[in-house]
């Protein structure tokens, strides 16, 4: 099989001044992509690395925590390279605190970069991709948002919000050739310092970048998927629904719900709906007495 190649493609990678984002940018550039290294710090150094290796890159240092910053990042791609094919939204910050002690600023700052930042970059990028009928978008979610981590309510809510954004953009982008997926990475970076214990040296961001590169490649036909990557392991994460239990045409009692819990919670026969109407179809089948 031939190598996955990005020659002629232009990619924006947010949070690319270090860690996972840097690994994404370096790999895409090594495979021929022209890269906008978007970060408020470290972008120039990564651009120098890419150019030193014979690649093409420009730095975008505006903060994507504002709409103006997101517009500037997209404009950097169009001004320097004349097109935009790929957006990897990787930028993020941590403001860890237990929920009881979390301040308003700690919530707002994290939301502004992770969740609002995705909107700020993608809103100007989206019409460009739609018009050219090609695009690849990769959002960075997290196990904290998907499963929960103590002390990260702000971060987890933002990362779970990105999952919702991915779900909708995948549906809306399909007819325009824009594929949208999410990546849940685990890597040793400044953000995870001290969290990975004695295995930290096994979680090089270089393990994550190839998964991201595949998901934003022309060869990838996946959309509406979440992949987990870290330490050399790659897995799928998904939101599904069980077939459920039909409690009858009349409103049930709380006791009936309690009695049906074993069936409600059983994972046997679960399905992964393609969009929000998928679960409605399951409910309809139950109401009509059809087999799910």
């Amino acid at each position: 099989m031939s190598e996955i190649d990005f020659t002629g493609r232009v990619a924006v990678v947010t949070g690319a001044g270090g860690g996972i984002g840097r690994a994404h940018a370096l790999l895409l550039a090594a495979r021929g992509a022209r890269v906008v290294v978007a970060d408020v710090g470290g972008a120039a150094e990564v651009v120098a690395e890419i150019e030193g290796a014979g690649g093409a890159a420009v730095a975008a240092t505006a903060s994507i925590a504002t709409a103006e910053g997101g517009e500037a990042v997209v404009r950097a791609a169009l001004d320097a390279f004349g097109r935009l094919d790929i957006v990897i939204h990787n930028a993020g910050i941590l403001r860890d605190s237990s929920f009881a002690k979390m301040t308003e600023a700690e919530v707002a700052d994290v939301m502004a970069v992770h969740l609002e930042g995705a909107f700020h970059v993608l809103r100007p990028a989206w019409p460009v991709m739609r018009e050219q009928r090609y695009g690849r978008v990769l959002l960075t979610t997290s196990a904290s948002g998907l499963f929960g981590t103590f002390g990260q309510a702000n971060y987890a809510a933002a990362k779970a919000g990105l999952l919702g954004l991915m779900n909708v953009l995948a549906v809306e982008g399909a007819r325009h050739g824009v594929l949208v997926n999410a990546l849940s990475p685990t890597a040793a970076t400044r953000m995870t310092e001290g969290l990975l214990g004695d295995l930290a040296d096994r979680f090089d961001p270089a393990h994550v970048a190839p998964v991201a590169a595949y998901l934003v490649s022309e060869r990838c036909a996946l959309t509406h998927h979440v992949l987990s990557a870290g330490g050399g392991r790659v897995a799928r994460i998904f939101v599904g629904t069980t077939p459920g239990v039909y409690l009858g045409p009349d409103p049930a009692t709380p006791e009936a719900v309690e009695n049906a819990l074993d069936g409600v919670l059983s994972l046997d026969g679960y399905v992964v709906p393609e969009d929000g109407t998928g679960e409605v179809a399951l409910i309809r089948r139950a109401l009509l007495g059809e087999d799910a």
Side-chain angles (χ1 to χ4, degrees):
M1 185 176 292
S2 62
E3 277 195 350
I4 290 176
D5 184 71
F6 290 92
T7 300
R9 299 300 185 189
V10 175
V12 162
V13 183
T14 70
I20 295 172
R22 172 181 171 272
H24 292 340
L26 293 177
L27 181 55
L28 291 177
R31 293 294 184 111
R34 293 167 289 175
V35 181
V36 175
V37 179
D39 206 314
V40 294
E45 289 82 356
V46 176
V47 168
E49 282 188 79
I50 291 171
E51 292 179 336
V58 295
T61 58
S63 171
I64 63 166
T66 68
E68 294 77 13
E71 177 69 39
V73 168
V74 172
R75 178 52 53 190
L78 299 177
D79 288 348
F81 304 122
R83 62 181 295 122
L84 176 57
D85 304 287
I86 297 162
V87 173
I88 299 179
H89 177 48
N90 170 79
I93 60 172
L94 285 179
R95 297 290 186 270
D96 287 1
S97 178
S98 67
F99 191 65
K101 298 179 180 178
M102 190 168 290
T103 67
E104 183 176 349
E106 287 170 337
V107 175
D109 289 350
V110 169
M111 290 289 181
V113 175
H114 290 275
L115 186 54
E116 294 174 27
F119 280 88
H120 293 155
V121 173
L122 288 174
R123 289 186 68 222
W126 195 254
V128 176
M129 293 181 172
R130 277 172 48 108
E131 184 175 348
Q132 68 193 16
R133 301 197 64 78
Y134 180 87
R136 297 290 186 268
V137 174
L138 185 63
L139 300 175
T140 307
T141 185
S142 169
S144 293
L146 300 171
F147 306 115
T149 299
F150 183 90
Q152 292 192 333
N154 49 359
Y155 178 78
K159 287 304 192 183
L162 288 170
L163 180 64
L165 179 60
M166 181 273 288
N167 287 334
V168 173
L169 294 187
V171 172
E172 293 187 3
R175 70 184 68 180
H176 302 286
V178 182
L179 307 186
V180 186
N181 293 290
L183 180 64
S184 178
T186 302
T189 67
R190 288 173 298 177
M191 285 180 58
T192 60
E193 188 173 353
L195 299 179
L196 299 175
D198 58 1
L199 290 178
D201 60 349
R202 302 283 295 275
F203 285 92
D204 193 311
H207 286 300
V208 176
V211 183
Y214 171 71
L215 288 172
V216 297
S217 71
E218 191 170 348
R219 285 236 290 263
C220 178
L222 295 177
T223 193
H224 212 165
H225 279 65
V226 183
L227 297 189
S228 169
R233 171 185 175 270
V234 183
R236 181 185 180 187
I237 296 173
F238 57 88
V239 176
T241 178
T242 66
V245 175
Y246 182 52
L247 299 180
D250 298 321
T253 64
E255 293 77 16
V257 175
E258 181 181 43
N259 291 336
L261 271 185
D262 285 347
V264 169
L265 300 179
S266 172
L267 296 180
D268 292 342
Y270 72 84
V271 297
V272 181
E274 292 185 3
D275 58 31
T277 65
E279 188 175 24
V280 174
L282 290 177
I283 297 171
R284 178 179 172 82
R285 289 173 186 172
L287 291 174
L288 297 177
E290 301 172 358
D291 292 335

